[in-house]
Protein backbone atom coordinates (compact mmCIF):
# COMPACT_ATOMS: atom_id res chain seq x y z
CA UNK A 1 0.00 0.00 0.00
CA UNK A 2 0.97 3.62 -0.29
CA UNK A 3 0.04 6.71 1.69
CA UNK A 4 -3.03 8.36 0.19
CA UNK A 5 -2.01 11.67 -1.42
CA UNK A 6 -3.14 14.84 0.29
CA UNK A 7 -4.25 13.30 3.61
CA UNK A 8 -2.62 11.97 6.75
CA UNK A 9 -3.05 8.49 8.20
CA UNK A 10 -4.78 6.94 5.19
CA UNK A 11 -3.50 4.30 2.78
CA UNK A 12 -4.65 2.85 -0.53
CA UNK A 13 -3.32 0.46 -3.14
CA UNK A 14 -1.47 2.08 -6.05
CA UNK A 15 -4.09 0.63 -8.43
CA UNK A 16 -6.71 2.77 -6.66
CA UNK A 17 -5.01 6.03 -7.65
CA UNK A 18 -6.52 8.22 -10.31
CA UNK A 19 -4.31 7.72 -13.37
CA UNK A 20 -4.52 11.45 -14.13
CA UNK A 21 -2.87 12.43 -10.82
CA UNK A 22 0.61 11.31 -11.86
CA UNK A 23 1.28 10.45 -8.21
CA UNK A 24 3.54 7.65 -7.08
CA UNK A 25 4.84 6.66 -3.70
CA UNK A 26 6.99 4.08 -1.98
CA UNK A 27 4.95 0.98 -1.23
CA UNK A 28 4.89 -0.55 2.24
CA UNK A 29 3.75 -3.83 3.72
CA UNK A 30 1.34 -3.43 6.64
CA UNK A 31 -0.17 -5.85 9.16
CA UNK A 32 -3.68 -5.06 10.31
CA UNK A 33 -5.56 -5.55 13.57
CA UNK A 34 -8.37 -4.18 15.67
CA UNK A 35 -6.15 -1.91 17.75
CA UNK A 36 -2.45 -1.23 18.09
CA UNK A 37 -2.10 -3.33 21.27
CA UNK A 38 -3.58 -6.53 19.79
CA UNK A 39 -1.13 -9.42 19.58
CA UNK A 40 -0.03 -10.14 16.04
CA UNK A 41 -0.95 -13.40 14.32
CA UNK A 42 1.62 -16.17 14.03
CA UNK A 43 1.20 -16.65 10.28
CA UNK A 44 0.10 -14.38 7.44
CA UNK A 45 -0.47 -15.16 3.78
CA UNK A 46 2.18 -13.13 1.94
CA UNK A 47 1.89 -13.00 -1.83
CA UNK A 48 4.85 -12.80 -4.18
CA UNK A 49 5.50 -12.84 -7.91
CA UNK A 50 7.89 -15.46 -9.31
CA UNK A 51 8.67 -15.42 -13.02
CA UNK A 52 5.56 -13.33 -13.69
CA UNK A 53 3.14 -15.56 -11.76
CA UNK A 54 1.68 -15.01 -8.29
CA UNK A 55 2.61 -17.47 -5.57
CA UNK A 56 1.38 -17.59 -2.00
CA UNK A 57 4.05 -17.72 0.69
CA UNK A 58 3.68 -17.80 4.46
CA UNK A 59 5.00 -15.00 6.65
CA UNK A 60 5.68 -16.72 10.00
CA UNK A 61 6.34 -14.98 13.32
CA UNK A 62 9.56 -16.09 15.01
CA UNK A 63 9.72 -13.54 17.84
CA UNK A 64 7.41 -10.78 19.04
CA UNK A 65 8.46 -8.52 16.17
CA UNK A 66 10.29 -10.66 13.58
CA UNK A 67 8.77 -12.62 10.72
CA UNK A 68 10.37 -14.89 8.16
CA UNK A 69 9.34 -16.28 4.78
CA UNK A 70 11.01 -19.44 3.49
CA UNK A 71 10.82 -19.64 -0.30
CA UNK A 72 12.76 -22.86 -0.91
CA UNK A 73 15.65 -22.48 -3.35
CA UNK A 74 15.10 -18.72 -3.64
CA UNK A 75 15.89 -18.08 0.01
CA UNK A 76 14.66 -17.13 3.43
CA UNK A 77 13.69 -13.50 4.02
CA UNK A 78 13.28 -11.73 7.35
CA UNK A 79 11.10 -8.75 8.23
CA UNK A 80 10.71 -6.64 11.38
CA UNK A 81 7.17 -5.63 12.29
CA UNK A 82 7.42 -2.07 13.58
CA UNK A 83 4.58 -0.29 15.32
CA UNK A 84 3.15 2.48 13.19
CA UNK A 85 3.42 5.72 15.21
CA UNK A 86 -0.09 6.79 14.31
CA UNK A 87 -2.04 3.77 13.05
CA UNK A 88 -2.99 4.13 9.42
CA UNK A 89 -6.37 3.21 8.00
CA UNK A 90 -7.04 1.56 4.66
CA UNK A 91 -9.39 3.89 2.77
CA UNK A 92 -9.66 2.07 -0.54
CA UNK A 93 -12.42 -0.01 -2.04
CA UNK A 94 -11.15 -3.59 -1.74
CA UNK A 95 -13.57 -5.85 0.12
CA UNK A 96 -10.70 -8.26 0.90
CA UNK A 97 -9.48 -6.04 3.75
CA UNK A 98 -11.24 -7.15 6.93
CA UNK A 99 -9.37 -5.02 9.46
CA UNK A 100 -8.85 -1.53 8.10
CA UNK A 101 -6.60 -0.44 11.03
CA UNK A 102 -2.97 -0.90 9.96
CA UNK A 103 -0.95 -1.25 13.15
CA UNK A 104 2.45 -2.61 12.06
CA UNK A 105 4.69 -1.92 9.09
CA UNK A 106 7.08 -4.59 7.81
CA UNK A 107 10.68 -3.60 7.14
CA UNK A 108 13.14 -6.02 5.52
CA UNK A 109 15.96 -7.21 7.74
CA UNK A 110 18.27 -7.69 4.73
CA UNK A 111 17.39 -5.48 1.75
CA UNK A 112 20.30 -6.88 -0.29
CA UNK A 113 18.85 -10.41 -0.22
CA UNK A 114 15.55 -9.10 -1.59
CA UNK A 115 17.34 -7.30 -4.40
CA UNK A 116 19.34 -10.45 -5.25
CA UNK A 117 16.09 -12.45 -5.43
CA UNK A 118 14.74 -10.02 -8.01
CA UNK A 119 17.88 -10.22 -10.16
CA UNK A 120 18.63 -13.93 -9.80
CA UNK A 121 15.14 -15.46 -9.66
CA UNK A 122 12.68 -12.88 -11.04
CA UNK A 123 11.05 -12.96 -7.58
CA UNK A 124 9.56 -10.19 -5.44
CA UNK A 125 6.96 -9.80 -2.70
CA UNK A 126 3.70 -7.96 -3.32
CA UNK A 127 2.11 -8.76 0.06
CA UNK A 128 -1.42 -8.42 -1.24
CA UNK A 129 -3.01 -6.42 -3.97
CA UNK A 130 -6.62 -6.37 -5.18
CA UNK A 131 -5.28 -7.06 -8.69
CA UNK A 132 -3.69 -10.39 -7.72
CA UNK A 133 -6.72 -12.31 -9.10
CA UNK A 134 -6.28 -10.66 -12.50
CA UNK A 135 -2.78 -12.09 -13.01
CA UNK A 136 -3.27 -15.62 -11.62
Amino acid sequence: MIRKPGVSGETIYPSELDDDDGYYGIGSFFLSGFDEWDPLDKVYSFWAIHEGRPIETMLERRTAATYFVDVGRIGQFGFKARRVGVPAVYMGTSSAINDPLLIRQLAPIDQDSLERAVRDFDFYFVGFTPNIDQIR
Side-chain angles (χ1 to χ4, degrees):
M1 290 187 209
I2 60 171
R3 298 288 178 169
K4 190 173 178 182
V7 294
S8 177
E10 297 180 11
T11 62
I12 57 174
Y13 290 104
S15 60
E16 296 174 310
L17 285 171
D18 184 345
D19 289 338
D20 296 333
D21 286 344
Y23 178 83
Y24 65 92
I26 296 173
S28 297
F29 299 122
F30 289 95
L31 302 178
S32 63
F34 292 105
D35 72 53
E36 64 178 309
W37 304 110
D38 273 350
L40 296 174
D41 289 337
K42 292 187 184 291
V43 178
Y44 290 89
S45 175
F46 199 49
W47 286 91
I49 303 294
H50 181 226
E51 296 177 345
R53 296 181 41 212
I55 63 169
E56 186 176 14
T57 68
M58 295 297 137
L59 181 71
E60 298 182 35
R61 190 174 76 200
R62 298 271 175 87
T63 70
T66 58
Y67 285 80
F68 282 84
V69 178
D70 187 346
V71 193
R73 68 179 183 87
I74 296 172
Q76 187 177 93
F77 305 93
F79 296 87
K80 284 231 179 252
R82 299 179 178 153
R83 180 173 281 126
V84 176
V86 175
V89 178
Y90 170 66
M91 296 302 291
T93 58
S94 175
S95 61
I97 303 297
N98 298 325
D99 304 325
L101 187 62
L102 306 170
I103 58 175
R104 300 284 191 283
Q105 185 172 359
L106 292 178
I109 293 172
D110 181 358
Q111 183 70 37
D112 290 341
S113 68
L114 291 172
E115 292 174 9
R116 274 192 305 278
V118 172
R119 281 191 317 270
D120 297 347
F121 298 100
D122 190 19
F123 174 88
Y124 56 93
F125 291 105
V126 293
F128 173 78
T129 172
N131 294 337
I132 202 89
D133 285 328
Q134 296 174 10
I135 58 174
R136 273 196 241 191

